Amino acid sequence: MQFQTLPGFREFYPDDCLLRNHLFATWKSCARAYAYSEYDAPVLEPLSLYVEKSGEEIVGQLFHFTDRGEREVALRPEMTPSLARLVGAKANALKRPIRWFNISEQYRYERPQKGRLRAFYQFNADILGIAEPTADAELIALLVASLKGLGLGADSVQVRLSDRLLWHVLLKAANLSAEATTAVLAVVDKLGRMPREKSLAALEPWMDDASSWLSGIEAMMREVRDFLALETYFVELAKPLEASDRKFVGARLDQWRILLAELDALGCSPFVQIDLSIVRGLAYYTGFVFEAFEATGEGRALAGGGRYDDLVQKLGGPAMPAVGFAMGDVTVTDLLRAKDLLPRYFEKADVGLVVEPSAPRANALLFAQTLRAAGYSVEMPLSGQSLNKQIKAMRQKGPRLMAIFKSAEEDLATYADGRVELLDVAANVRREIKTDLSLLVPQALAFLQEGTFAEDN
RNA sequence: GUGGUAAUAGCUCAGUUGGUUAGAGCACCGGAUUGUGAUUCCGGGGGUCGCCGGUUCAAGUCCGGUUUACCACCCCA
């Protein structure tokens, strides 16, 4: 009987774990740099939590089953509903702003492809309780910091910024109903990946002259790449609308000014590109939305996020403005590999011991335990290979310090208990002393702390 | 869920129009030499050629199915 992993699931050999931990450590330190607090939630949740948020269609994309208590349950496909529940349940007790982050595995029953598996890790960061665009700016800055922290510069990755509120204005100007708005936004979301004729066909039921409307939209998305163009376009667009709509556009453009000014002051401008072709699939986003992509525009999104001011309330909590993003490990790791940005370090012990087969092991073991108790990692040989073989093998493992325990045979008079050579591996400096822990341990600790051997007395 | 391509050792791959006991490099293990993070030499283990079935005297090679991976759809929270 042979067993293999389920499709879309991964195993992590030590080298893979090293890479994963590198990613996690970077995410975590970035989140801490922005003073976000870590939270966590169950892997298994009631199926209804996701149906409530995303509709029945979602069920086909979930790992779900009925448990022995007849409960319909699902492995979490995303973190946001759980987050909304956590925050909603204690909303009144939580100090604002609520800045939380989480790193965890998510599960989606989808066809695996490049950049998309059935189990993957996500870095989630959210701010709840703040409606101002300062929060959106801070999250985008954290997203940028996370990418930069992995070695990705503005020449490699770009965050594309858009706004669903302005899209609603755009659609209102085309006299679309609320129902049509949802459908049309879904089409707009896919413009880049769908043949134009297909998009047109999808638009035609909702508007009279889909062809010219689409041409106009395409031109707009091409031309509106900075704030000046955005402002000019929407002021012009709003002119024939009602006074309240014109006022709305003016107020929204003010929000844009705040967002962009904050991003500029945060040093993120080189990473951010206004791009109204981003609308993001599902309907719960309510304001600014953004996605991070490889700068060439190729590949799947590295991260995505936006404002979801209604979701906490929809899931049973109080009204609570919110904005957040998620970054997946799969696409990011693919990109880092392509850019040759994966770390090459490997796990090294601080101290590597070598014990000549004829020398007693007890001294070496005690030495190892003493250094371990002092907080250092120490590797002991377990088989009695020849001295040279051990030394060679241990050198390749690259500890900072090697301690070579030799037998006393050559000079019993001076070294009754044998002798130990301490070796500064990097500098190739050796120091040979008696096997006497009261001498050895201080020497070793001095080296580990100072980086060089203490002066001879 | 639909379609296309692929599958030989842990990894990267050879394997001639179907023809004895399926190969190389790297990696791993052992031995010799070598004490300064790829020395050199010798040796070794490891594959029911993804799986099941069919055609044939004979299948890694041809055919069908299946699984998995990749690619394009669907979807992408």
Side-chain angles (χ1 to χ4, degrees), chain A residues 346 354 389-399 402 404 421 423-430:
Chain A
F346 50 101
V354 166
K389 193 149 183 107
Q390 284 190 53
I391 289 171
K392 187 185 171 188
M394 190 55 79
R395 270 187 188 282
Q396 288 191 353
K397 295 192 174 192
M402 280 171 61
I404 303 164
E421 178 184 313
L423 170 62
D424 174 347
V425 177
N428 202 40
V429 173
R430 307 175 193 187

Side-chain angles (χ1 to χ4, degrees), chain A residues 105-117:
Chain A
E105 198 170 26
Q106 317 295 331
Y107 308 87
R108 297 179 185 175
Y109 197 90
E110 296 181 292
R111 177 80 114 200
Q113 293 178 27
K114 185 167 194 65
R116 183 169 76 180
L117 302 173

Side-chain angles (χ1 to χ4, degrees), chain A residues 60 119 139 187 196 200 260 325 432 453:
Chain A
L139 271 167
V187 176
R196 196 168 187 279
L200 259 183
L260 294 174
F325 75 84
E432 190 160 273
F453 291 121

Side-chain angles (χ1 to χ4, degrees), chain A residues 5 33 73 89 114 141 238 253 300 324 353 365 406 435-436 448 456:
Chain A
T5 55
V73 297
K114 185 167 194 65
L253 289 172
R300 309 175 65 82
L353 297 201
L365 287 166
K406 298 177 176 174
T435 302
D436 177 348
L448 290 167
D456 278 317

Side-chain angles (χ1 to χ4, degrees), chain A residues 118-131:
Chain A
R118 287 182 172 181
F120 55 93
Y121 292 91
Q122 260 192 356
F123 171 39
N124 275 260
D126 295 85
I127 297 177
L128 296 99
I130 303 290

Side-chain angles (χ1 to χ4, degrees), chain A residues 131-427:
Chain A
E132 284 81 2
T134 48
D136 304 65
E138 182 177 291
L139 271 167
I140 292 171
L142 174 53
L143 168 57
V144 167
S146 309
L147 296 168
K148 275 168 83 174
L150 293 167
L152 295 163
D155 54 333
S156 300
V157 289
Q158 285 282 300
V159 177
R160 301 189 199 156
L161 177 62
S162 180
D163 183 358
R164 287 180 74 110
L165 289 179
L166 286 184
W167 265 105
H168 281 103
V169 172
L170 213 44
L171 299 176
K172 191 164 187 182
N175 285 315
L176 293 182
S177 65
E179 184 191 6
T181 297
T182 308
V184 169
L185 278 183
V187 176
V188 170
D189 182 44
K190 287 167 200 151
L191 282 180
R193 348 182 251 272
M194 204 184 253
R196 196 168 187 279
E197 312 81 64
K198 251 181 125 176
S199 302
L200 259 183
L203 288 174
E204 262 152 14
W206 306 104
M207 55 184 67
D208 296 331
D209 191 354
S211 179
S212 65
W213 184 82
L214 181 57
S215 299
I217 288 299
E218 285 169 336
M220 179 277 289
M221 294 190 306
R222 269 197 310 277
E223 285 155 21
V224 175
R225 310 302 281 192
D226 56 47
F227 181 70
L228 189 62
L230 180 84
E231 184 181 38
T232 306
Y233 183 89
F234 278 92
V235 167
E236 194 61 32
L237 182 83
K239 274 184 183 165
L241 299 182
E242 295 167 18
S244 63
D245 292 324
R246 288 201 302 276
K247 195 176 166 192
F248 178 84
V249 168
R252 191 56 182 163
L253 289 172
D254 286 341
Q255 305 253 282
W256 269 88
R257 283 190 194 90
I258 295 171
L259 175 67
L260 294 174
E262 293 267 319
L263 285 173
D264 195 42
L266 286 161
C268 294
S269 294
F271 283 86
V272 176
Q273 172 73 58
I274 294 176
D275 182 347
L276 292 189
S277 70
I278 302 293
V279 299
R280 294 190 59 72
L282 270 254
Y284 69 82
Y285 284 107
T286 55
F288 292 114
V289 289
F290 49 89
E291 291 185 348
F293 281 90
E294 189 174 352
T296 60
E298 286 162 23
R300 309 175 65 82
L302 301 163
R307 185 160 277 283
Y308 52 99
D309 285 342
D310 301 333
L311 187 67
V312 175
Q313 190 165 36
K314 189 178 175 193
L315 291 176
M320 173 81 77
V323 53
F325 75 84
M327 186 184 316
D329 73 308
V330 182
T331 40
V332 168
T333 304
D334 283 349
L335 178 56
L336 293 178
R337 185 173 291 115
K339 297 268 177 197
D340 199 23
L341 288 172
L342 293 175
R344 286 199 208 294
Y345 58 70
F346 50 101
E347 289 171 302
K348 298 174 177 180
D350 295 313
V351 183
L353 297 201
V354 166
V355 182
E356 193 169 19
S358 57
R361 284 174 63 83
N363 286 325
L365 287 166
L366 183 54
F367 178 65
Q369 293 298 70
T370 309
L371 293 185
R372 286 168 181 153
Y376 295 97
S377 69
V378 181
E379 178 165 346
M380 263 304 283
L382 296 175
S383 60
Q385 292 176 308
S386 72
L387 195 65
N388 282 340
K389 193 149 183 107
Q390 284 190 53
I391 289 171
K392 187 185 171 188
M394 190 55 79
R395 270 187 188 282
Q396 288 191 353
K397 295 192 174 192
R400 294 163 58 198
L401 177 69
M402 280 171 61
I404 303 164
F405 285 70
K406 298 177 176 174
S407 70
E409 289 162 16
E410 295 168 25
D411 188 357
L412 273 173
T414 316
Y415 300 108
D417 287 329
R419 57 214 157 92
V420 178
E421 178 184 313
L422 292 177
L423 170 62
D424 174 347
V425 177

